[in-house]
Amino acid sequence: MLKPFACDPEASRGRRHREPSAPTRSEYQRDRDRIVHSTAFRRLVYKTQVFLNHEGDLFRTRLTHSLEVAQLGRSIARTLGLNEDLVEAIALAHDLGHTPFGHAGQDALNERLHLADAASGGFEHNLQSLRVVDILEERYPEFNGLNLTFETREGVLKHCSLRHAERLVAGDPDGVGRRFIDRTQPSLEAQLCNLADEIAYNAHDVDDGVRSGLISMQQLEEVPLFFRFQKEALAQHPGLAGRRLLFESIRRMLSAQVYDVVDATRAALRGSAPGHVNDVRASPPLVCFSEGMVCESSELKRFLRANLYRHPQVVATTDQAKEVIRDLFAAYRAEPGEWAQGREVVSLRGIADYIAGMTDRFAMREHERLTGRRLFD
Ligand code: MG
């Protein structure tokens, strides 16, 4: 079933620490299983995607977002003959490095690290996802981290600045940082997870946005990608309204994007005809939308940015979230004993790792314990 350009677990570039192979599972199945059993994965259930976790039980969390990315990714992978297990492993791990409170948390932590030490390198969630699977998980007797295969780690590190890449390469010359210096692409499975991430959040943020009352179905009529499928749904089901109309429009929009990726990627693969994953790495990006869908999808993104992510109510909680992170950082720096709990190294990076690992509610509780102030209610 696997196409020659897919990643083959038998030909994996391997793990950082040698291990015997498993009797019943491929290397990528094993990566997926290690991720599902990790502590960081369970924390995703209480981490913010867009809406803070305690704002409502039905909003996406990092966990349900990651499951949706895995579902979309696997279904496209199967159609294209790519490795489904690898796609699933990357999708489930791609957001493990996120701080509590989403991007607001990341921005505040990054800012505090830079202010504390300009040479610290700051905080970036993609790099942190790699740190989680490479170093921070403590589950195995022989090594730190989950000791995942090169291909899964390559997919987890989806963006990396040149400066960070140089640091990574200094410690691991042929490692996953290399491609950001050589300006090459990752496997098709990794490219697919990137696009599946985008498809997933564009769709579920529309759903969560309407559920929250911050955006309306009427407003969405100005988004061609949504309006097209709403009209289609109404033509087939006259009188459809409310929640069912919203879901049916999103469902059609999701399917159209999936078919678009399949068709556009097949065309790109025919054009460059890679015979092996190494040809993929040397080619331009191959997993893609058609040109029309690129435009429509960016219009939807622009709409969400203007009307949801920058909505005064979202921005207000964002500001509170930043305050929590800044206060925690200051408190732990002032009194390392407060958090070190037997850890040997008390460093800025250690504090950042500790804060980044927190769930929203743990961070809020810690904040209240250390400052006596209760935010967010
Ligand atoms: Mg994501």
Side-chain angles (χ1 to χ4, degrees):
M1 297 293 277
L2 278 191
K3 298 279 193 202
F5 43 70
C7 282
D8 175 2
E10 304 267 307
S12 168
R13 285 174 60 177
R15 303 176 188 278
R16 299 207 297 170
H17 307 274
R18 267 179 184 283
E19 290 184 72
S21 55
T24 57
R25 295 171 298 161
S26 78
E27 297 304 323
Y28 303 143
Q29 284 178 291
R30 213 172 173 196
D31 281 359
R32 188 251 345 260
D33 297 348
R34 287 181 180 195
I35 292 157
V36 169
H37 288 276
S38 70
T39 310
F41 185 70
R42 284 194 299 282
R43 290 191 181 125
L44 295 178
V45 71
Y46 292 115
K47 286 195 177 200
T48 287
Q49 182 69 25
V50 171
F51 293 93
L52 297 187
N53 199 282
H54 65 280
E55 289 181 315
D57 290 348
L58 292 179
F59 295 123
R60 266 66 177 190
T61 66
R62 289 263 167 229
L63 181 68
T64 60
H65 161 71
S66 302
L67 295 174
E68 289 180 34
V69 176
Q71 180 275 316
L72 287 165
R74 284 182 56 195
S75 126
I76 299 171
R78 190 178 294 195
T79 310
L80 292 173
L82 303 180
N83 195 302
E84 242 181 283
D85 296 321
L86 177 58
V87 166
E88 190 178 13
I90 297 170
L92 295 180
H94 87 282
D95 273 350
L96 290 178
H98 269 287
T99 59
F101 314 122
H103 285 276
Q106 154 169 307
D107 293 346
L109 196 51
N110 184 39
E111 164 209 279
R112 289 296 114 168
L113 274 171
H114 276 304
L115 284 174
D117 176 6
S120 67
F123 183 89
E124 202 281 320
H125 71 89
N126 275 295
L127 276 173
Q128 190 69 9
S129 296
L130 189 67
R131 252 179 97 68
V132 167
V133 299
D134 278 357
I135 301 168
L136 298 178
E137 279 288 318
E138 297 175 329
R139 308 189 72 78
Y140 297 92
E142 298 95 349
F143 44 77
N144 286 331
L146 302 176
N147 198 30
L148 304 179
T149 61
F150 176 89
E151 294 75 22
T152 300
R153 296 173 56 247
E154 173 188 50
V156 167
L157 190 65
K158 63 176 173 179
H159 305 295
C160 186
S161 67
L162 192 57
R163 194 165 46 92
H164 287 311
E166 280 163 356
R167 279 187 187 214
L168 287 173
V169 165
D172 187 5
D174 294 317
V176 293
R178 184 86 240 168
R179 75 179 168 95
F180 299 96
I181 293 170
D182 297 346
R183 294 170 168 277
T184 56
Q185 299 304 314
S187 70
L188 294 168
E189 286 81 356
Q191 294 181 35
L192 172 54
C193 284
N194 248 337
L195 204 49
D197 188 19
E198 193 178 315
I199 298 174
Y201 66 67
N202 279 335
H204 65 50
D205 289 351
V206 168
D207 182 8
D208 283 353
V210 174
R211 170 171 294 110
S212 69
L214 300 186
I215 55 178
S216 69
M217 294 260 269
Q218 255 130 6
Q219 266 178 298
L220 279 163
E221 290 179 5
E222 70 183 66
V223 183
L225 184 60
F226 182 86
F227 194 42
R228 179 147 64 97
F229 295 106
Q230 194 194 64
K231 276 189 298 193
E232 214 187 83
L234 281 170
Q236 211 174 330
H237 306 280
L240 194 65
R243 196 182 291 169
R244 282 182 204 251
L245 176 59
L246 176 67
F247 293 156
E248 183 58 17
S249 312
I250 293 176
R251 191 183 69 76
R252 286 166 187 255
M253 182 175 89
L254 271 175
S255 300
Q257 286 177 292
V258 166
Y259 302 143
D260 186 88
V261 173
V262 168
D263 292 343
T265 303
R266 276 188 176 145
L269 286 167
R270 273 194 302 275
S272 74
H276 186 271
V277 60
N278 287 338
D279 302 333
V280 169
R281 292 189 174 111
S283 304
L286 295 170
V287 178
C288 53
F289 276 143
S290 66
E291 272 177 43
M293 190 57 86
V294 169
C295 295
E296 283 193 305
S297 152
S298 5
E299 272 174 287
L300 172 55
K301 264 193 225 167
R302 255 199 307 279
F303 172 87
L304 287 170
R305 210 176 311 127
N307 297 288
L308 183 61
Y309 311 143
R310 292 189 188 147
H311 190 286
Q313 210 170 305
V314 172
V315 173
T317 55
T318 295
D319 290 343
Q320 286 184 310
K322 288 185 176 170
E323 201 178 330
V324 169
I325 300 294
R326 289 187 191 120
D327 288 348
L328 288 178
F329 193 86
Y332 296 139
R333 273 199 90 191
E335 292 215 43
E338 272 292 339
W339 67 278
Q341 295 167 8
R343 284 158 203 257
E344 283 164 34
V345 185
V346 176
S347 62
L348 284 177
R349 185 56 59 190
I351 295 174
D353 287 338
Y354 186 51
I355 295 177
M358 292 179 182
T359 61
D360 291 12
R361 56 183 197 167
F362 184 83
M364 287 191 266
R365 257 186 251 145
E366 265 299 269
H367 183 262
E368 195 179 346
R369 183 179 73 80
L370 292 167
T371 66
R373 287 187 303 128
R374 189 189 198 119
L375 294 176
F376 295 118
D377 28 30

